[in-house]
Amino acid sequence: MNKNSNLYQIIYAAVMVLIVGTVLAFIYMALKPKQDDNVANDKRKQILSAVHITPKSDNAIESTFNKYVVAGYLLDKNGEIVDSAQNVAFNVDMKNNIKAQERKLPVFKCKLDDESTKYIVPAYGAGLWGPIWGYIAVDDNGTNIYGAYFSHEGETPGLGAEIANPKFQNQFKGKKLYKDGEFKPISVLKNGKSAENGEDHVDAVTGGTITSTGVSNMLKDCLTPYKPFFDKLQSGTIK
Amino acid sequence: MLSKRNKEAFFNPLSKDNPVLVQILGICSTLAVTAKLEPAIVMGISVIAVLAISNVVISLLRKTIPTTIRIIVQLVVVAALVIIVQQILRAYAYDVSLQLSVFIGLIITNCILMGRLEAFALSNKPWPAFLDGIGNGLGYMIILVIVAFFRELLGSGTLFGFPVIPNWCYDHGYMNNGLMILPPMALITVGCIIWVHRSRNKDLQEK
């Protein structure tokens, strides 16, 4: 058969694409459950990072998570718990949630080894090259930050990507969400600058200005809807 | 198995015919993934795997491929392999796949692949094509590792993420060079390596 005839080329291309398509679809289906597990486990690991817990091994992630994270809630905009079914908070996809008209407000309740209770709230925002996200753990008095975890999709390694570094994240420990009784989310500022509204702040990443500003905006955007909830924690109406 | 020609197919790309240093292929990804050692190594291994397998596949198909659509055929084969690598990494090496994110996908645009498929696999038997793929992949990986070594050491003061610059250096005013982390310094590092390489291999110097 003439290799350069139109018919041969069309059939060749069609058959090739069919074979490749089938193989790829098969591989995708075969690996999908494993990948979903990885994604879920990665999320568990990130949430635990906010309360400074690192699972001992990759196999222990799920059991460690279930041990420390005792409950997950969804809140309404008045800070009332509207749904406390199992996994309801865990299954919220922040990427879509952040764009929704009425955001779901997931909260994870953690009981640590020293019997103290922490509440973890997720955050999601924009960095320089792509999305950034994080989890912020707050003490049960509703104002002290216990820990923070941030990650990103593709910030510049060594610059913006440093927000995923514990050195950056540890700065958040002990910062306060309330100043003189007023709710003021923490901002990320260049070394030497002072906060406009007198809120607590942490040092930005050198050379990662846009990513740092992104973290700052994300905190403002994602913590503010939780204000009624934090208020309730402060007044002690939620145990 | 290892005739003189096959040996050449394997060993030449390591130095005398190195894809990065001499053929000047795959520069873009060399700049992109070499800020740290670990992603550089995973990228190197992925390129070796994709290059070796696609070389063999194209070499097996070489007598059936219509010349007019050969580039498309090569692209489909490479793209399919890259997606497979990406899926496997996501299932079995999730952390690494997160670090490399877009770069694995960019293997498709790596000029070394198309270059080797066009120049070698289309006109050679599968076994030499396989050796050529491994050789070129290794040649690429060596340069990646050298560049990443200097960039991570001078830019972040770490190797494989572990701090190696002692603290007293920082106390005495030493600072990590942030410029090393940005792509321009990768280009300059590659330039320096090419300079050293040429000065040691006189026959590569242009008159």
Side-chain angles (χ1 to χ4, degrees):
Chain A
M1 197 173 174
N2 179 10
K3 268 203 323 191
N4 284 322
S5 74
N6 285 344
L7 185 65
Y8 180 84
Q9 289 176 22
I10 292 170
I11 294 176
Y12 194 94
V15 170
M16 175 185 68
V17 170
L18 267 180
I19 294 175
V20 169
T22 318
V23 170
L24 287 183
F26 177 75
I27 289 180
Y28 178 76
M29 294 298 285
L31 295 175
K32 187 87 172 83
K34 187 112 180 99
Q35 294 176 355
D36 287 346
D37 277 1
N38 282 336
V39 173
N41 267 338
D42 191 56
K43 189 170 175 182
R44 292 193 181 98
K45 219 160 85 181
Q46 296 183 12
I47 295 174
L48 286 175
S49 293
V51 282
H52 314 291
I53 293 170
T54 319
K56 283 192 188 70
S57 71
D58 281 357
N59 298 325
I61 294 176
E62 203 172 341
S63 56
T64 318
F65 184 81
N66 292 337
K67 183 180 159 200
Y68 289 108
V69 180
V70 289
Y73 311 119
L74 289 187
L75 307 175
D76 64 7
K77 58 180 189 294
N78 301 321
E80 299 286 352
I81 295 168
V82 285
D83 198 345
S84 58
Q86 204 184 4
N87 282 340
V88 69
F90 188 77
N91 289 339
V92 172
D93 181 8
M94 285 305 282
K95 190 177 177 180
N96 299 324
N97 187 30
I98 212 82
K99 293 181 218 136
Q101 272 290 325
E102 281 236 345
R103 274 192 221 165
K104 293 173 187 162
L105 301 172
V107 176
F108 301 94
K109 184 178 178 182
C110 288
K111 263 252 172 348
L112 301 186
D113 284 334
D114 59 0
E115 292 296 309
S116 62
T117 307
K118 315 286 173 200
Y119 293 90
I120 303 176
V121 299
Y124 192 95
L128 171 59
W129 305 114
I132 53 176
W133 61 91
Y135 294 93
I136 291 96
V138 181
D139 278 344
D140 54 0
N141 65 12
T143 176
N144 282 20
I145 303 251
Y146 177 68
Y149 170 89
F150 298 104
S151 191
H152 60 95
E153 196 173 277
E155 299 305 301
T156 321
L159 301 175
E162 291 298 304
I163 60 163
N165 194 322
K167 203 174 143 191
F168 176 75
Q169 295 166 8
N170 286 342
Q171 296 184 83
F172 284 85
K173 197 170 177 172
K175 300 284 176 196
K176 290 193 167 49
L177 289 173
Y178 286 81
K179 270 279 145 88
D180 307 324
E182 253 183 276
F183 182 73
K184 285 173 179 171
I186 291 156
S187 56
V188 183
L189 293 174
K190 261 186 194 166
N191 206 343
K193 274 198 176 174
S194 57
E196 270 172 47
N197 301 318
E199 69 267 25
D200 267 358
H201 63 273
V202 298
D203 289 342
V205 181
T206 313
T209 310
I210 297 179
T211 312
S212 301
T213 315
V215 173
S216 206
N217 292 339
M218 170 173 85
L219 289 176
K220 197 172 285 160
D221 180 43
C222 293
L223 289 178
T224 312
Y226 286 94
K227 181 180 177 292
F229 176 71
F230 294 138
D231 282 342
K232 281 198 171 65
L233 281 178
Q234 281 196 322
S235 58
T237 32
I238 291 180
K239 281 288 164 218
Chain B
M1 280 298 262
L2 278 175
S3 65
K4 187 164 172 286
R5 228 179 89 72
N6 285 351
K7 268 191 197 150
E8 272 174 12
F10 181 77
F11 286 108
N12 271 3
L14 295 187
S15 170
K16 279 280 163 66
D17 197 20
N18 189 290
V20 183
L21 298 186
V22 183
Q23 303 176 51
I24 316 288
L25 295 175
I27 296 291
C28 352
S29 56
T30 309
L31 308 190
V33 300
T34 50
K36 295 263 157 75
L37 265 170
E38 196 189 341
I41 287 173
V42 178
M43 180 73 175
I45 294 170
S46 308
V47 168
I48 293 175
V50 172
L51 188 50
I53 300 172
S54 61
N55 254 0
V56 171
V57 172
I58 292 295
S59 169
L60 285 170
L61 294 174
R62 70 188 188 281
K63 295 211 171 96
T64 67
I65 300 175
T67 38
T68 35
I69 58 165
R70 65 177 196 285
I71 304 272
I72 299 172
V73 175
Q74 291 162 11
L75 266 179
V76 170
V77 170
V78 174
L81 286 168
V82 166
I83 295 173
I84 293 174
V85 167
Q86 203 165 22
Q87 295 290 328
I88 290 177
L89 280 181
R90 217 173 272 168
Y92 296 101
Y94 189 73
D95 290 344
V96 181
S97 82
L98 284 184
Q99 275 188 5
L100 286 170
S101 58
V102 296
F103 298 129
I104 290 288
L106 288 176
I107 294 179
I108 302 171
T109 61
N110 193 321
C111 322
I112 297 174
L113 281 135
M114 297 299 284
R116 291 329 290 168
L117 293 177
E118 272 286 290
F120 200 89
L122 268 181
S123 50
N124 282 283
K125 290 202 172 110
W127 174 243
F130 177 74
L131 288 177
D132 179 79
I134 300 270
N136 275 286
L138 270 179
Y140 170 74
M141 183 172 160
I142 293 171
I143 305 305
L144 240 61
V145 170
I146 297 176
V147 177
F149 174 83
F150 285 112
R151 286 183 72 193
E152 190 175 350
L153 183 69
L154 300 176
S156 312
T158 57
L159 289 176
F160 291 106
F162 296 107
V164 285
I165 309 267
N167 264 329
W168 58 263
C169 290
Y170 292 110
D171 295 342
H172 287 76
Y174 174 82
M175 273 174 88
N176 290 324
N177 186 347
L179 192 57
M180 285 305 286
I181 292 178
L182 298 172
M185 281 312 285
L187 191 60
I188 291 172
T189 315
V190 172
C192 292
I193 298 173
I194 294 179
W195 177 23
V196 172
H197 187 249
R198 298 243 161 152
S199 66
R200 292 173 54 117
N201 294 283
K202 297 271 188 263
D203 49 327
L204 288 176
Q205 294 171 6
E206 289 94 4
K207 292 266 150 50

